[in-house]
């Protein structure tokens, strides 16, 4: 007997969704009918043709004897890839009056208006409205950086960040310690995480370096107060191939390695790693509070841990080479200066203040060594200029390791 698969079987009684005219942007004097999902828009070709957009090129194509697309409800131009809400937000900026535009550029902005700007930027990028795209992205960046009593991201006061070069924005400068308890609640993490992800994907899509850099800095601050933010940073770095974020994100998660477990080892998954427990997936933590990561992420974490451990072992056994100042060679006994430096390195790299940091925490250990050097009494036996060189040498090594963190978390495959 002939077998007909379910997707080949004829569908009886199934109807196409009924098309509806948008209440706002189906205009009586419109000259171009567009269909997004099951909604029809009738807008003006002159507006769609502005800014050397993709629509202007499309309208110039010869139609021949065929009925022109966009001429009627029965022959609309079909647009795919955006929702009705997204497209309505885009049309809003084409028709908005000056005082309406001021609402999204004013210092006080809510998440609904920010979401509208995100939609405007994304749709503008897709259809090549370059000036509108640039305007929307610049306004978004300004809002994220703007000093405000109600910042978009209520960041807590962070006692430690990986790099002192992080200026991330004036957002952090306006927050208070009271935000710390709020920003790490599951609701806050979900809300902040979704918005950060959306903005970072938008910045990457549109190639807007300023917004991308700002969002990376915001995420760096967020991830230091919760491992869930660190997981988000790690995942976004992999998805968007952001080297500047990948290293610090994996490093932050690695510091909490006892909280990391591969998905395949979780109860609630089958032997093929397929998700069974949706609650565990949505919360990112298993029943024991361990962070859920993919096998590839765990491999990178283990690889990074091993490589950084080897880096520290090399540093511990081989002190940083001291280049003496010219004054030291002329007025000081260089051998004694060198011996003093070697003794310091051998002694202090084994001190409790250094070893309290994890084996792979090269940055933490080097910073601890720098502090020890600052209060090292025997440093008086080194030339003054050589002490300054040694101090800078340690700081430079911290910067070198920090800048190359991403290279340690690359799996061999």
């Amino acid at each position: 007997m002939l077998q007909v698969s379910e997707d080949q079987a004829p569908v009886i009684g199934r109807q196409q969704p009924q098309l509806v005219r948008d209440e706002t942007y189906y205009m009586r004097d419109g000259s171009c009918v567009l269909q997004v999902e099951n909604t029809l828009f009738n807008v003006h070709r002159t507006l769609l043709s502005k800014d050397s957009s993709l629509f202007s090129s499309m309208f110039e194509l010869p139609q021949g004897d065929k009925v022109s697309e966009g001429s009627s409800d029965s022959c609309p131009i079909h647009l795919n890839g955006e929702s009705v809400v997204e497209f309505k937000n885009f049309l809003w900026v084409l028709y908005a009056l000056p005082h309406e535009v001021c609402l999204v550029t004013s210092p006080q902005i809510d998440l609904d208006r920010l979401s509208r700007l995100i939609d405007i930027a994304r749709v503008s990028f897709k259809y090549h409205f370059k000036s509108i795209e640039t305007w929307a992205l610049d306004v978004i960046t300004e809002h994220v950086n703007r000093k405000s009593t109600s910042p978009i991201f209520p960041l807590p006061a962070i006692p430690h960040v990986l790099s002192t070069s992080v200026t991330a924005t004036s957002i952090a400068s306006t927050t208070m310690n009271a935000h710390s308890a709020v920003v790490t609640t599951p609701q806050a993490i979900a809300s902040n995480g979704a918005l950060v992800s959306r903005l970072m994907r938008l910045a990457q899509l549109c190639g807007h370096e300023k917004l991308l850099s700002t969002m990376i800095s915001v995420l760096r601050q967020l991830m230091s107060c919760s491992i869930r933010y660190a997981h988000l940073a790690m995942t976004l770095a992999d998805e968007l191939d952001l080297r500047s974020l990948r290293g610090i994100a994996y490093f932050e998660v690695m510091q909490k390695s006892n909280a990391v477990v591969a998905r395949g080892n979780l109860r609630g998954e089958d032997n093929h790693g397929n998700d069974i427990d949706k609650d565990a997936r949505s919360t990112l933590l298993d029943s024991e509070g361990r962070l859920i990561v993919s096998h590839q992420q765990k491999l990178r974490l283990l690889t990074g841990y091993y490589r950084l451990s080897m880096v520290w072992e090399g540093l511990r056994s081989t002190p940083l080479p001291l280049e003496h100042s010219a004054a030291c060679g002329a007025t000081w006994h260089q051998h004694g200066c060198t011996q003093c430096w070697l003794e310091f390195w051998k002694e202090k790299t084994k001190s409790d203040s250094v070893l309290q940091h994890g084996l792979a925490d090269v940055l933490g250990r080097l910073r601890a060594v720098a502090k020890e050097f600052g209060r090292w009494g025997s440093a008086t036996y080194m030339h003054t200029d050589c002490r300054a060189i040694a101090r800078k040498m340690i700081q430079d090594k911290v910067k070198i390791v920090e800048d190359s963190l991403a290279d340690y978390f690359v799996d061999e495959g």
Side-chain angles (χ1 to χ4, degrees), residues 45 345 378:
R45 286 188 177 225
W345 193 265
S378 299

Side-chain angles (χ1 to χ4, degrees), residues 350-368:
K350 296 186 293 184
S351 65
D352 292 340
S353 63
V354 172
L355 296 181
Q356 71 178 354
H357 297 276
L359 180 61
D361 186 5
V362 179
L363 296 179
R365 290 192 169 193
L366 282 174
R367 289 191 179 103

Side-chain angles (χ1 to χ4, degrees), residues 322-326 384-394:
L322 177 65
E323 296 183 6
H324 297 273
S325 67
T384 303
D385 292 345
C386 290
R387 291 203 301 270
I389 290 173
R391 188 177 298 108
K392 185 177 184 303
M393 190 167 56
I394 299 173

